[in-house]
Amino acid sequence: MKRKAINPTTLFDSIQFGFSQIVVSNPGKFISISGQVAWDKHQNIIGENDLATQTEKALDNLKTAMEEAGGSMDDIVMLRIYKVNYQKEDGPVISEILGDYFGVDNPPASTWLSVQGLANEKFMIEIEAQAMI
């Protein structure tokens, strides 16, 4: 079993936002991935002032990190998403892209945080992950 999402009907429907309420995974190799941002390997920012492009690049970087650790995006059980000055219109942008990467049937658990800033003033979003391989 890679991961199993549990979304009790007694909790709000988080799937519409791109994440599950609960994720269960079998014991295995635990992976922690530092926050990924919209930098390429030369530290060029991808998608300056474009939340969708920065979110995609951060998730592409996360995918690369998972593959280097011997896993895949399906092994991710938890995301923490840091969005600079989160506004309600940011939610659908991020949610749609999460759906593209994780689907809607079994997405990882997630916590979203609005932050005042990140390590580089051009970063709009940073995404870190925990996985079980």
Side-chain angles (χ1 to χ4, degrees):
M1 170 177 79
K2 295 265 186 188
R3 70 169 178 253
K4 179 182 178 195
I6 301 171
N7 291 289
T9 57
T10 53
L11 297 176
F12 78 91
D13 178 15
S14 62
I15 296 296
Q16 65 183 321
F17 300 109
F19 66 92
S20 294
Q21 291 286 351
I22 304 160
V23 174
V24 178
S25 181
N26 287 332
K29 182 168 71 169
F30 183 71
I31 307 296
S32 294
I33 299 176
S34 296
Q36 298 299 307
V37 295
W39 261 350
D40 67 11
K41 71 178 192 172
H42 302 291
Q43 297 179 347
N44 297 309
I45 192 137
I46 306 301
E48 188 171 340
N49 299 315
D50 183 335
L51 178 59
T53 301
Q54 286 201 22
T55 302
E56 288 174 6
K57 181 57 179 165
L59 287 167
D60 283 345
N61 290 344
L62 186 61
K63 181 179 181 206
T64 297
M66 280 302 306
E67 290 170 353
E68 285 294 318
S72 73
M73 297 294 269
D74 289 337
D75 297 309
I76 294 174
V77 296
M78 180 67 181
L79 296 172
R80 266 175 297 294
I81 300 171
Y82 303 90
K83 169 61 182 75
V84 175
N85 300 321
Y86 180 87
Q87 304 292 312
K88 69 179 183 176
E89 59 269 14
D90 297 333
V93 174
I94 297 166
S95 295
E96 181 177 343
I97 297 166
L98 289 173
D100 292 344
Y101 279 80
F102 296 103
V104 296
D105 295 329
N106 196 29
S110 180
T111 297
W112 296 24
L113 302 152
S114 180
V115 296
Q116 190 171 11
L118 295 166
N120 181 310
E121 64 185 24
K122 294 182 181 180
F123 295 154
M124 300 175 75
I125 192 166
E126 184 167 343
I127 304 172
E128 65 179 61
Q130 294 175 325
M132 188 68 70
I133 299 175

